[in-house]
Amino acid sequence: MVWTAAAGDGPDVVVLVHGSMDRSAGLLKLSRRLDDRFRVVRYDRRGYGRSTPHDGPFGMPDQVDDLRRVILEAEPERCVVVGHSYGGNVALSLADHHPDLVDAVVTYESPLSWLPWWGGSAGSSAMEARDDPAAAAERFMRSLIGDERWERLPSGTRAARRAEGAPMLGELADLRAAPPWRPDRVTVPVLVLFGEHGRPHHRRGAEHLADMLPDARLEMVPEAKHFGPNTHPDDVAQRVFRFIDASG
């Protein structure tokens, strides 16, 4: 079981899926912008936040099964899944394997780690320390937020992040091993977002993703980096609103 929270009312549901080494709280600002029009469900993926401790496994089939259960419990008339980073791959994999459960998908800078040109990411840095999950988690966080910000985090927060190394390594290793979804099987509309000031491989990945999928549109979030759903929730929410309205 995973921890969930819901806000807003109505038959149409938006499910928010966070990325690696994050938790549902990282998408709370976005949730608050969306819940005046939709019932918004957030959840801590297995091994993170309030879904710890968790024995795993942490591969994509298990992540998709958790998301499937979250959606079924919400009983939506219409469901849109918004995934940040790794969470975007969970959303796309759900659309591949359970197309009856999702009507549209939004991704924000989702990694294409299985492609040979993908590299230079926080995940790549973490995998170099895969024999020490705590150290790998720290490397991931330092790569994402910088050494100075990491050192400023409270000791308890740093310890909690280091304790999440095992689920992070499990999901990242699985993502590198094989594509978690087939583009031709993702037939729902997809909005592919990336930040204007994100890293080059994330922008390239977003462009490549939009080209691969049969029904996708690509949009840039001005001034944003990788954590755009948190730092620019108003802009991201407006793009989500327009996309849902256009998707019928």
Side-chain angles (χ1 to χ4, degrees), residues 134-153:
E138 180 172 333
R139 290 185 68 156
F140 187 96
M141 292 299 297
R142 286 181 180 273
S143 179
L144 273 185
I145 67 176
D147 293 336
E148 183 178 348
R149 186 176 170 191
W150 169 261
E151 297 294 346
R152 292 201 309 266
L153 292 175

Side-chain angles (χ1 to χ4, degrees), residues 49-134:
R50 280 161 282 198
S51 295
T52 57
H54 201 294
D55 295 331
F58 301 105
M60 187 59 73
D62 308 288
Q63 306 284 349
V64 170
D65 192 54
D66 288 340
L67 176 55
R68 180 184 67 84
R69 291 173 184 272
V70 167
I71 293 173
L72 290 175
E73 289 176 3
E75 299 182 335
E77 287 189 8
R78 186 178 185 217
C79 180
V80 176
V81 181
V82 179
H84 174 231
S85 195
Y86 178 89
N89 281 310
V90 180
L92 292 170
S93 189
L94 177 89
D96 176 342
H97 297 286
H98 300 283
D100 56 311
L101 293 182
V102 60
D103 296 281
V105 167
V106 180
T107 69
Y108 188 98
E109 295 198 354
S110 296
L112 306 180
S113 311
W114 60 92
L115 296 178
W117 54 262
W118 186 267
S121 65
S124 299
S125 177
M127 292 300 290
E128 294 174 0
R130 63 176 66 91
D131 293 335
D132 185 343

Side-chain angles (χ1 to χ4, degrees), residues 83-85 88-89 92 106-115 117-118 181 190-221 224-226:
H84 174 231
S85 195
N89 281 310
L92 292 170
V106 180
T107 69
Y108 188 98
E109 295 198 354
S110 296
L112 306 180
S113 311
W114 60 92
L115 296 178
W117 54 262
W118 186 267
W181 43 266
V190 180
L191 174 62
V192 181
L193 298 176
F194 69 96
E196 179 182 12
H197 299 309
R199 296 182 179 183
H201 65 282
H202 279 137
R203 180 172 189 150
R204 182 183 178 187
E207 293 169 346
H208 187 69
L209 178 58
D211 286 341
M212 282 194 294
L213 297 172
D215 185 4
R217 63 198 71 182
L218 178 71
E219 293 189 21
M220 179 185 71
V221 179
K225 296 182 180 179
H226 186 59

